[in-house]
């Protein structure tokens, strides 16, 4: 439905159009039918007023019933029928007004004679229908252009929203805290252990390259994903030291299974952020991978966070992971005993 401002604008413009039509009609009658009497003025003004009301009714009905949803053929058919009916109603109202005015001697025909034969009435209806059809064609065309422009704006807004989601996903992939901690630890290692610092730079570079190289539609093998996870864990081990313990149980036949890029890394990052980092004593992160009946099953367990910590949400990263999976997999995150379990199942 149109907003109130567009409705007011329509009625003002519509009144202007039919007022100009009435003025032009009176001018032509005075120029070519000066002996038509005052009845001619009544007919012209009455017709302009009737068409003003009929055109407004057509617009209201078209918008309320959303004729554009019926397709081009349905729209044209409904416009044609409404124009035909509107012209008939306008002529009926004008004829009623004219007959009443003549009966009460309010107007005169001058030296003209009133012709109400079927042929004349059909001609009157036809000329009225032509004017109303021109108006309907102009209004429907303008409204269609507005709808097209509105659809394009909606598409652009959706595209902007998608870009924002991609930006948030990238931000989730590159956890700012992970980056800050890694850079600070690197700064300390440069003087203390240059060899270890060089190794950390190499691993950080590979992690960043993997995060930036893949989009949400790309698939990688579990072996490739584990290489990224190993680099990530090596960097985090420098920060958490003995607080971070990792145990991996990976079936050999699952190494070539496909999964969304950075999916397992997001689960491991979530486990460290919400499990290890919030516990003074740290804990163990367990990573399991199996391939059963052509379904890759990944499980990441971590100890529950400290009771003093607020219950963490799933975050942008896990929401992005669900978007990556779509309907082609299953992801659950739930506490099991004193541990949090993330389970990811991906059909192959």
């Amino acid at each position: 439905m149109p907003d109130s401002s567009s409705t007011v604008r329509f009625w003002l413009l519509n009144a202007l159009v039919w007022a100009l039509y009435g003025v032009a009609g009176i001018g032509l009658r005075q120029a070519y039918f000066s002996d038509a009497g005052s009845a001619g003025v009544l007919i012209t003004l009455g017709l302009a007023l009737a068409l003003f009301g009929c055109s407004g009714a057509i617009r209201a009905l078209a918008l309320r019933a959303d004729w554009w949803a019926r397709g081009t053929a349905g729209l044209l058919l409904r416009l044609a029928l409404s124009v035909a009916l509107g012209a008939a109603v306008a002529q009926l109202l004008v004829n009623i007004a004219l007959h009443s005015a003549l009966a009460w001697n309010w107007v005169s025909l001058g030296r003209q004679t009133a012709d109400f034969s079927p042929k004349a009435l059909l001609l009157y209806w036809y000329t009225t229908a032509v004017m109303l059809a021109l108006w309907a064609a102009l209004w429907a065309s303008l409204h269609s252009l507005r709808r097209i422009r509105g659809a394009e704006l909606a598409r652009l807004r959706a595209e902007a929203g998608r870009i924002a989601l991609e930006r948030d996903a990238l931000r989730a992939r590159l956890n700012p805290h992970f980056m800050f901690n890694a850079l600070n630890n690197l700064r300390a290692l440069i003087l203390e252990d240059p060899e270890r610092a060089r190794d950390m730079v190499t691993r950080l570079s590979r992690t960043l390259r993997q995060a930036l190289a893949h989009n949400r539609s790309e698939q990688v093998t579990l072996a490739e994903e584990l290489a990224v996870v190993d680099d990530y864990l090596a960097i985090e081990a420098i920060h958490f030291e003995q607080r971070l313990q990792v145990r991996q149980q990976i079936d050999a036949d699952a190494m070539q299974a496909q999964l969304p890029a950075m999916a397992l890394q997001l689960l491991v990052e979530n486990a460290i952020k919400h499990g290890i980092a919030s516990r003074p004593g740290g804990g163990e992160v367990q990573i399991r991978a199996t391939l059963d009946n052509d379904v890759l099953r990944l499980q990441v367990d971590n100890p529950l966070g400290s009771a003093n910590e607020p219950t963490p949400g799933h975050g942008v990263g896990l929401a992005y992971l669900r978007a990556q999976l779509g309907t082609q997999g299953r992801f659950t995150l739930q506490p099991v005993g004193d541990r949090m379990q993330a389970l990811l199942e991906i059909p192959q």
Side-chain angles (χ1 to χ4, degrees):
M1 294 297 292
D3 56 34
S4 57
S5 62
S6 64
T7 299
V8 171
R9 186 167 57 249
F10 164 79
W11 284 111
L12 291 176
L13 291 175
N14 198 41
L16 178 62
V17 168
W18 294 117
L20 292 176
Y21 169 78
V23 171
I26 292 175
L28 289 174
R29 282 185 176 276
Q30 294 297 324
Y32 296 99
F33 304 99
S34 57
D35 56 350
S38 55
V41 175
L42 174 64
I43 293 172
T44 303
L45 293 181
L47 192 57
L49 186 60
L51 289 176
F52 170 76
C54 290
S55 59
I58 291 174
R59 171 186 178 271
L61 183 60
L63 295 180
R64 184 181 299 275
D66 193 12
W67 288 355
W68 281 261
R70 310 285 183 171
T72 303
L75 171 64
L76 293 177
L77 176 61
R78 284 165 176 77
L79 285 175
L81 291 176
S82 64
V83 165
L85 181 60
V89 170
Q91 280 296 324
L92 177 63
L93 294 175
V94 170
N95 275 280
I96 291 174
L98 179 61
H99 279 81
S100 300
L102 289 174
W104 294 333
N105 293 318
W106 288 355
V107 296
S108 66
L109 292 171
R111 286 182 290 178
Q112 299 291 320
T113 57
D115 187 357
F116 297 108
S117 65
K119 182 178 179 180
L121 292 176
L122 181 62
L123 180 61
Y124 300 153
W125 170 85
Y126 174 77
T127 56
T128 304
V130 168
M131 293 303 304
L132 192 56
L134 291 175
W135 174 92
L138 177 61
W139 173 77
S141 299
L142 292 176
H143 187 72
S144 297
L145 290 176
R146 288 186 61 189
R147 286 174 64 95
I148 293 172
R149 184 176 63 181
E152 180 65 14
L153 287 175
R155 186 191 67 80
L156 291 175
R157 291 191 185 99
E159 181 70 12
R162 185 191 65 80
I163 294 173
L165 286 176
E166 293 289 346
R167 183 190 65 237
D168 290 341
L170 178 60
R171 188 178 299 154
R173 283 172 153 185
L174 302 176
N175 187 316
H177 295 289
F178 165 72
M179 292 298 301
F180 294 152
N181 292 336
L183 293 175
N184 286 331
N185 292 329
L186 177 61
R187 179 176 178 274
L189 282 176
I190 289 175
L191 296 178
E192 296 177 7
D193 192 341
E195 185 64 30
R196 197 176 180 190
R198 282 195 294 270
D199 179 68
M200 184 177 179
V201 169
T202 300
R203 291 181 181 276
L204 182 60
S205 174
R206 287 200 297 253
T207 302
L208 294 177
R209 183 170 62 250
Q210 287 297 115
L212 295 171
H214 298 290
N215 59 45
R216 63 178 292 177
S217 63
E218 287 191 78
Q219 300 281 309
V220 297
T221 65
L222 179 59
E224 293 171 325
E225 183 73 0
L226 283 172
V228 177
V229 170
D230 288 341
D231 285 334
Y232 173 78
L233 288 172
I235 296 170
E236 289 287 53
I238 296 174
H239 176 70
F240 290 102
E241 297 180 338
Q242 299 304 315
R243 294 173 57 206
L244 174 60
Q245 305 297 321
V246 179
R247 182 154 59 96
Q248 296 189 21
Q249 295 177 331
I250 311 297
D251 287 358
D253 56 356
M255 295 297 284
Q256 296 305 311
Q258 300 282 318
L259 71 160
M262 305 295 288
L264 180 57
Q265 189 273 340
L266 283 173
L267 295 184
V268 174
E269 180 179 345
N270 190 71
I272 294 176
K273 178 180 177 182
H274 297 294
I276 306 303
S278 62
R279 293 171 59 90
E284 182 181 75
V285 174
Q286 299 176 0
I287 305 173
R288 300 182 180 89
T290 59
L291 184 64
D292 298 319
N293 297 322
D294 288 331
V295 176
L296 175 62
R297 192 171 187 269
L298 299 172
Q299 182 177 317
V300 178
D301 293 0
N302 61 271
L304 291 173
S306 171
N308 296 325
E309 294 287 332
T311 302
H314 291 185
V316 177
L318 297 186
Y320 177 70
L321 176 58
R322 289 186 173 90
Q324 284 181 303
L325 290 175
T327 59
Q328 302 303 314
R330 186 172 73 93
F331 171 68
T332 59
L333 180 67
Q334 60 185 358
V336 178
D338 61 348
R339 298 181 66 82
M340 182 66 73
Q341 182 185 93
L343 180 63
L344 183 61
E345 294 181 339
I346 305 172
Q348 298 298 297

